[in-house]
Structure formats: C-alpha cells, structure tokens
Amino acid sequence: MAAAVDAVREAFGELRAGNFVLPAREVFGDGAVLVMSAYHSPTRTAVVKTIGIALDQVPAIRATVVWTGAGEQLVADGTSITTLRTGAVVGVATDLLAAADATRLTVIGTGAQSADQVRAVLAVRRIAEVTLVGRDAGKAAALARALSEEFPEVKFGSGTDIDAGVGDAEVICCATSSSTPLFRADALPERVHVNAIGAFRPTMSELPRDLLASASLVVVDQEEAALEESGEVIDAVESGALPRTSLLALGDALADPPTPSGRTVFKSVGLGPQDWAIAKLLAES
C-alpha cells in the first residue's frame, strides 16, 4: 500500500502537469458498464479498464485492466487494482488533509473497498483505533477480526450505529453505495477529515450538503469528473451551498499544500491515472 500511495501521488502530479490524455469515462447501460482509459505521453504508455457493476451481487464490481507500453502488455484483475488504487488516493488525501497526530479512524461500509481504505490510512497515519460500521453487524465484526490479525497493534471495533462511529473520529472513510447522506454534519467532531469514495453516480450521495458547505477545504480528484459524477458535489454546487470555485483539485493541492483546519473533505470518483499508476507498478515488478 505504501508503494501504491507514492505511485498515485506521483500520478496526480503528472496529471496536473498535463502529461496525461484523459478521455471522459464511458458509461453504458445506466452505469452497468464503465470504460476508463488514460495515456501517459512522456512514457507512451496507456491503461484501459472495463468495469461491470452489479450492486446487488458480491462482489459488486468486476473489472479488467490492460496496461500497454512499448513492446509490452500487462493484463490484470481490475477489481483488485480498483480497490488498491482507491485506497491509495485516500492515503494521499489523508496524508495531505488529516491532522498529523490523528489516531482514530472510522470506516463506513464493509464491502470490497473497505479493507484497502483501512490499509491506506494506516500507511500514512499512526492510527491506534479503527471502528468499522456497516448495516450487517456480523459482517462488520468479521472484517474487524480479519484486519486485527493483519494489524495486531491496532484496536479494532465494529458496529451498526453510524453517528456513534463518527462522533469522535479524526479520519472517516465512506465506502458505500448509498443514495442518501450517511450522517448529519452536526454528528461530526469540529476537527475531522472525511474521505468519500463510494458514490460514483449523480444519483448517489454519501455526504450531507451542509458538510460540503461548511468544510474549510473540499478537495476532489478532478473538478470536471466530480461535477459530472459525484451526486453530493453536484447537489451542493447546484443548490448554491458550495461555490464551484471552492473545489480544489488534488493535483493542485499537492503542488501547493493548504493548511487544513476544522473539517476537511476529499471526494473521489476515480480517474484513469490511478489505474495507470498501479498497473505500471505491476508491469515493473
């Protein structure tokens, strides 16, 4: 995960520098199938990912990644790459925006993305306590047990009460397919960093409008993608609660790091350069 975080951080620098050709994501069948691609001009390498999504199945996301370079090609399981690169970008954002001494993490959601959300935050912060919150108490407890074996130095807990889970958190990761906000802004501490990666359609939303309106920083992976695909960002901007000019692209934030205070938010819908970064690591290993 640490290598993935570094690779994704570098990829966002390359994106800001204009070194990627990044076509818009193709969406078919009302979001049942997605196709993402990215071409890195300096290395003349490209990645293409096809994704099938069925939220009523396990796993909900099945994908294949093809990475192509000069005279070489790699085909890999896109499902694993997606969870890894999504975790990695959360690691990048958490390292940038969360309190340096943060020790308490809450993850909302217990699906395929959740474990790599935990791994990513633990890669950039000395987290002592992790709370896993999900609708299914048994599933949340099972994930906590599995992760406690991987990270025996960390205290893991689980439950179904979201408000209780976020009440004293210093870092929060939202990894659900919710169509309505998961919590109220007034349930959060005054100083907290919130990552949201689960909602990837305009009809989906994990964050309340008033959190985006009151946050000191709202960072997105890319402004254009967020305004096209993030339900919570679209709602906040169209309602006037969040000025579009307040959105800060991750690449810009990395180039000129802000001074975080109060509540901060990172919203990701996922970009091709993230897949490219992980596939490149695989190709070079």
Side-chain angles (χ1 to χ4, degrees), residues 3 30 59 63 68 90 107 111 124 150 165 180 186 194 235 256 268 274 279:
D30 194 29
T68 303
V90 160
V107 177
V124 299
E150 186 175 345
T180 57
D186 61 13
V194 181
D235 169 73
D256 185 15
S268 175
Q274 296 167 238

Side-chain angles (χ1 to χ4, degrees), residues 238-255:
E238 290 185 348
S239 69
L242 177 69
R244 178 171 177 166
T245 53
S246 295
L247 295 175
L248 179 61
L250 180 57
D252 292 339
L254 290 169

Side-chain angles (χ1 to χ4, degrees), residues 7-29:
V8 168
R9 183 185 290 112
E10 292 174 10
F12 273 90
E14 291 288 286
L15 177 62
R16 183 179 186 272
N19 290 333
F20 278 103
V21 178
L22 191 59
R25 175 159 39 193
E26 295 283 354
V27 181
F28 303 103

Side-chain angles (χ1 to χ4, degrees), residues 24-262:
R25 175 159 39 193
E26 295 283 354
V27 181
F28 303 103
D30 194 29
V33 175
L34 309 177
V35 179
M36 302 172 62
S37 60
Y39 174 73
H40 187 240
S41 302
T43 59
R44 303 178 69 179
T45 56
V47 67
V48 177
K49 181 168 73 173
T50 58
I51 312 157
I53 300 172
L55 297 178
D56 59 343
Q57 298 180 14
V58 179
I61 297 174
R62 294 175 173 84
T64 301
V65 165
V66 178
W67 183 89
T68 303
E72 58 183 334
Q73 187 176 72
L74 177 141
V75 180
D77 171 37
T79 306
S80 299
I81 286 178
T82 297
T83 62
L84 180 57
R85 61 85 146 155
T86 305
V89 76
V90 160
V92 172
T94 300
D95 196 29
L96 182 71
L97 299 172
D101 59 352
T103 61
R104 295 186 300 276
L105 165 67
T106 292
V107 177
I108 305 172
T110 57
Q113 297 276 7
S114 302
D116 273 340
Q117 295 291 297
V118 173
R119 294 180 183 114
V121 176
L122 266 60
V124 299
R125 286 294 182 271
R126 298 185 67 178
I127 298 296
E129 298 180 24
V130 176
T131 301
L132 300 165
V133 182
R135 291 176 296 181
D136 185 325
K139 190 175 180 180
L143 181 59
R145 286 194 298 271
L147 286 168
S148 67
E149 293 179 4
E150 186 175 345
F151 300 101
E153 73 282 4
V154 178
K155 179 182 177 182
F156 283 87
S158 64
T160 59
D161 188 333
I162 292 177
D163 283 356
V166 302
D168 64 351
E170 293 167 293
V171 181
I172 297 169
C173 294
C174 304
T176 76
S177 57
S178 181
S179 58
T180 57
L182 298 170
F183 46 77
R184 306 180 318 278
D186 61 13
L188 302 178
E190 287 303 312
R191 177 67 177 107
V192 64
H193 171 62
V194 181
N195 300 296
I197 59 92
F200 57 90
R201 297 173 181 165
T203 55
M204 301 168 72
S205 179
E206 295 183 295
L207 306 179
R209 181 190 296 174
D210 52 348
L211 172 59
L212 295 175
S214 61
S216 64
L217 288 165
V218 178
V219 177
V220 294
D221 40 17
Q222 186 189 54
E223 182 181 330
E224 296 85 351
L227 289 169
E228 183 175 335
E229 299 169 357
S230 167
E232 47 266 277
V233 172
I234 293 169
D235 169 73
V237 170
E238 290 185 348
S239 69
L242 177 69
R244 178 171 177 166
T245 53
S246 295
L247 295 175
L248 179 61
L250 180 57
D252 292 339
L254 290 169
D256 185 15
T259 302
S261 63

Side-chain angles (χ1 to χ4, degrees), residues 254-272:
L254 290 169
D256 185 15
T259 302
S261 63
R263 296 167 178 166
T264 57
V265 172
F266 173 62
K267 172 60 194 175
S268 175
V269 294
L271 298 177

